[in-house]
């Protein structure tokens, strides 16, 4: 794609953005609970539109070259990503579950399931490539120093004669096996000839033989023609890939080379722009700075004189927190400025009084009985979207685009250089701000001198922002005491690597977690059946809760704060794979606080506190970071089993809870727990630490079909028509992705690879391997579901469903009474 194509994509994205901003305001109006489905539909539609917008802005930011445009697109990209996360939070509050059935919304908007995929911005890894490389080198260096010399394998030497004898044995054995196979084929042929001679061969006339040959040949031709027509038809409707894969791959490789070339141009233009920014700032400060300074001084002195003439005294100089002399430079009279300052002080006092009154009201309301609260909830059962932090930033970016770039003629800068006039305007504001701060200090001193000389008045207290009244400080958290103030980050990092608490994560892409979406979710919901999340839903939730938040500090600051997630599902569902994928997609460091990994490390009560402190300190300093706890239920055991008493799994429970509470917006640290037996844990403590709980049930038919197909293709084999993948997907009901991968790897050995040309794969070959594995039985899955519905979100979901059933039963009862 050319620069003009990306420019047009940017323009169309802003047209869509304008439509979405117009739809945002009606969402803020409260909606009664009886219109919940309509409210969910509106939220789902807005969510899908923002996902598409995020995908487009990511493409534009990745390939646009002009540096000033890229800065604006980056702000819009982060703001739209933050809005996607806000809408996800709203959907969870509205639907009371983590997975959302948006198939009807997709159908109405004429979108495909691919549009549900959460795009991961490419700059997450591109901008952190240098830091990731340095951390990998540091980790590899520490691990190489830890490797003992004795662990290196030392091979004993062999005499030449012994080596020759060994090779001769292997070669004679190979020739013997070939000779035996050859003799077996000869015997088989001789046996077939003997049977033919004994049975006697049927003799045909010349005409009968010709007819028989014609039948066979015509049948072969027709079967081949039918097979070709079927292949062409399937390719035409998109059910089979086209045969010209080589041409397709060459086009893709050429496009990738073009994208890489554009990224190199981006780097060059960015370096030029950085140098121009410094140069422009210095030149403006040198040429226009003195004039700005004198002009500001004259304006402020004139304001002093006018205020003194009107009021008989010199005014109070505005404090820096109120804007300083910026209030004076606005086009206002001295009286208006003085009135505004006084009004601000009065408004702040009123707000403090209103806050104190509201606090008193809240305390009184808390003391009321539970019955009154229940009545109020029944009356005020409304749905409403919370105010957004991202919409103002999106609106500001959209306004900047409309004012600066929409009607800009692109022919002025065909080489995509920076716009010098726009740069000078931006830097002029920065220089003016810097000079204003300097002028404020000088003029405050001049005002003191004027008061002493003219009014004979001693220094008055400057007009300041009102101080907060002492009282209960809500939401203010105590700072964590640093237990290692004299240690460097490098030494702490090395200590954690030596202790085995920092691990090298395997490279796994999130898209490798294969699964298909749930196509009949809305149908199941209408039939009063609870739809279970598919593997596609799990992948999307991990992308939303972990990857997008950890990838960018700006997105993490704007999005609703989520410090921890818990992955709950049977073994083999890919929980560890998802943890590794989060680290790969964001370039995060992986910390391992699993109870089994902590045995014998940092012993004692103070040791556990020190360990958790060091882990969270290094995680914050080397952001982004993922702290993984495998078998997370062990930290919250109801009763510790005998085999686990030695590791004391509950020793970091309190320190972990305290450390999590200290994480604030902008701290890109995520705690991810994995468990297959959450029933053994105390549910209250577990839900207090893990803010989001993602249930991972067995894969459904659509996900199993995609799993079989993709995993076989990943082994380098293209499935043929003889391999009935649909039958495999039906037979493997109850098996996890780990079971399916294990069966495929067992069947597709090296020997079986060599036989594929003569004997293609069939579905029956995998059944023997599947039968050797234990599936996830329905009782185990039901116990996980029962546990999930005891969590806070699960309880709300069940209560809402029970209320719906009761309302429907009451409605039916009323209709029956009317009929009677």
């Amino acid at each position: 794609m050319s620069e003009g194509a990306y420019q047009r994509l940017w323009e169309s994205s802003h047209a869509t953005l304008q439509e979405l901003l117009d739809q945002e305001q009606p969402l803020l109006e409260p909606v009664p609970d009886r219109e919940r489905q309509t409210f969910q539909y509106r939220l789902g539609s807005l969510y899908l539109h923002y996902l598409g917008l995020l995908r487009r802005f990511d493409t534009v930011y990745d390939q646009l070259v002009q540096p000033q445009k890229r800065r604006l697109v980056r702000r819009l990209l982060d703001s739209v990503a933050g809005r996607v996360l806000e809408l996800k939070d709203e959907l969870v509050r509205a639907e009371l579950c983590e997975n959302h059935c948006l198939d009807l919304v997709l159908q109405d908007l004429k979108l495909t399931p691919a549009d549900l995929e959460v795009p991961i911005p490419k700059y997450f890894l591109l901008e952190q490539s240098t830091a990731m490389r340095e951390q990998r080198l540091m980790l590899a260096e520490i691990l190489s120093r830890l490797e003992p010399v004795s662990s290196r394998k030392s091979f004993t030497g062999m005499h030449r004669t012994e080596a020759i004898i060994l090779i001769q044995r292997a070669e004679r054995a190979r020739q013997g096996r070939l000779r035996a196979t050859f003799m077996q084929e000869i015997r088989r042929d001789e046996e077939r000839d003997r049977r033919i001679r004994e049975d006697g061969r049927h003799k045909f006339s010349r005409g009968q033989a010709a007819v028989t040959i014609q039948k066979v040949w015509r049948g072969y031709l027709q079967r081949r023609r039918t097979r070709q027509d079927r292949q062409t038809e399937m390719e035409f409707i998109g059910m089979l890939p086209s045969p010209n894969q080589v041409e397709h791959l060459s086009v893709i490789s050429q496009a990738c080379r073009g994208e890489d070339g554009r990224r190199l141009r981006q780097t060059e233009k960015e370096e030029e722009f950085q140098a121009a920014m410094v140069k422009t700032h210095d030149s403006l400060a040198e040429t226009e700075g003195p004039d700005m300074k004198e002009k500001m001084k004259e304006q402020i002195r004139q304001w002093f004189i006018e205020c003194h003439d009107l009021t008989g005294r010199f005014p109070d100089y505005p404090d820096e927190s109120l804007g300083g002399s910026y209030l004076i430079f606005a086009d206002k009279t001295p009286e208006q400025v003085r009135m505004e300052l006084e009004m601000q002080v009065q408004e702040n006092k009123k707000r403090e009084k209103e806050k104190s009154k509201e606090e008193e009201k809240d305390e009184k309301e808390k003391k009321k009985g539970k019955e009154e609260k229940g009545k109020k909830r029944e009356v005020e059962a409304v749905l409403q979207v919370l105010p957004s932090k991202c919409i103002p930033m999106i609106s500001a970016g959209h306004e900047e685009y409309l004012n600066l770039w929409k009607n800009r003629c692109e022919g002025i800068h065909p080489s995509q250089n920076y716009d010098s006039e726009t740069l000078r305007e931006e830097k002029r504001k920065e220089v003016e701000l810097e000079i204003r701060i300097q002028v404020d200090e000088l003029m405050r001193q001049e005002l003191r001198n004027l008061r002493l000389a003219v009014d004979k008045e001693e220094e008055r207290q400057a007009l300041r922002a009102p101080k907060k009244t002492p009282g209960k400080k809500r939401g203010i958290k105590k700072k964590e005491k640093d237990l290692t103030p004299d240690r460097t980050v490098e030494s702490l990092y090395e200590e954690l690597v030596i202790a085995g608490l920092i691990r090298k994560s395997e490279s796994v892409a999130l898209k490798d977690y294969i699964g298909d979406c749930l196509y009949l979710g809305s149908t199941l919901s209408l039939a009063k059946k609870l739809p279970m999340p598919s593997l596609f839903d799990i992948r999307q939730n991990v992308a939303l809760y972990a990857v997008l938040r950890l990838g960018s500090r700006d997105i993490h600051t704007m999005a609703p704060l989520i410090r921890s997630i818990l992955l709950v599902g049977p073994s083999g569902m890919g929980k560890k794979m998802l943890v590794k994928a989060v680290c790969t997609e964001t370039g995060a460091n992986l910390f391992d606080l699993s109870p089994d990994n902590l045995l014998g490390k940092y012993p004692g009560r103070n040791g556990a506190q020190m360990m958790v402190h060091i882990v969270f300190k290094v995680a914050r300093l080397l952001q982004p970071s993922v702290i993984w706890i495998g078998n997370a239920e062990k930290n919250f055991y109801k009763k510790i089993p005998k085999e686990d008493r030695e590791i004391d799994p509950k020793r970091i429970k309190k320190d972990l809870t305290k450390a999590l509470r200290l994480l604030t917006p902008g701290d890109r640290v995520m705690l991810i727990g994995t468990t297959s037996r959450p029933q053994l844990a105390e549910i209250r403590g577990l839900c207090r630490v893990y803010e989001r709980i993602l249930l991972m049930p067995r894969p459904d038919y659509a996900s199993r079909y995609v799993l079989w197909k993709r995993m076989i293709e990943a082994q380098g084999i293209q499935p043929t028509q003889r391999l009935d993948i649909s039958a495999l997907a039906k037979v493997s009901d109850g098996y996890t992705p780990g079971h399916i991968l294990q069966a495929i790897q067992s069947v597709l050995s090296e020997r079986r690879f060599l036989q594929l040309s003569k004997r293609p794969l069939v579905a029956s070959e995998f059944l023997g391997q599947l039968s050797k594995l234990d599936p996830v039985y329905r009782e185990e899955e039901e116990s996980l579901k029962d546990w999930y519905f005891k969590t806070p979100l699960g309880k709300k979901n069940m209560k809402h469903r029970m209320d719906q059933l009761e309302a429907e039963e009451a409605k039916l009862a009323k209709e029956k009474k009317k009929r009677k």
Side-chain angles (χ1 to χ4, degrees), residues 61 256 379 449 512 561 588 614 634 680 734 775 814:
Y61 179 72
C256 291
V379 175
N449 297 335
D512 294 338
L561 181 60
I614 293 175
K634 292 186 178 182
L680 303 178
K814 284 182 181 180

Side-chain angles (χ1 to χ4, degrees), residues 590-633:
L590 179 61
F591 297 81
D592 186 2
L593 284 182
S594 303
D596 297 330
N597 190 42
L598 303 183
L599 180 61
K601 297 169 184 175
Y602 295 90
R605 176 67 186 86
N606 295 332
Q609 183 183 4
M610 178 64 73
M611 175 179 60
V612 173
H613 169 77
I614 293 175
V615 166
F616 274 84
K617 179 179 178 180
V618 176
R620 277 197 295 265
L621 293 172
L622 299 178
Q623 299 177 25
S625 300
V626 171
I627 301 172
W628 171 54
I629 299 182
N631 298 323
E633 78 280 355

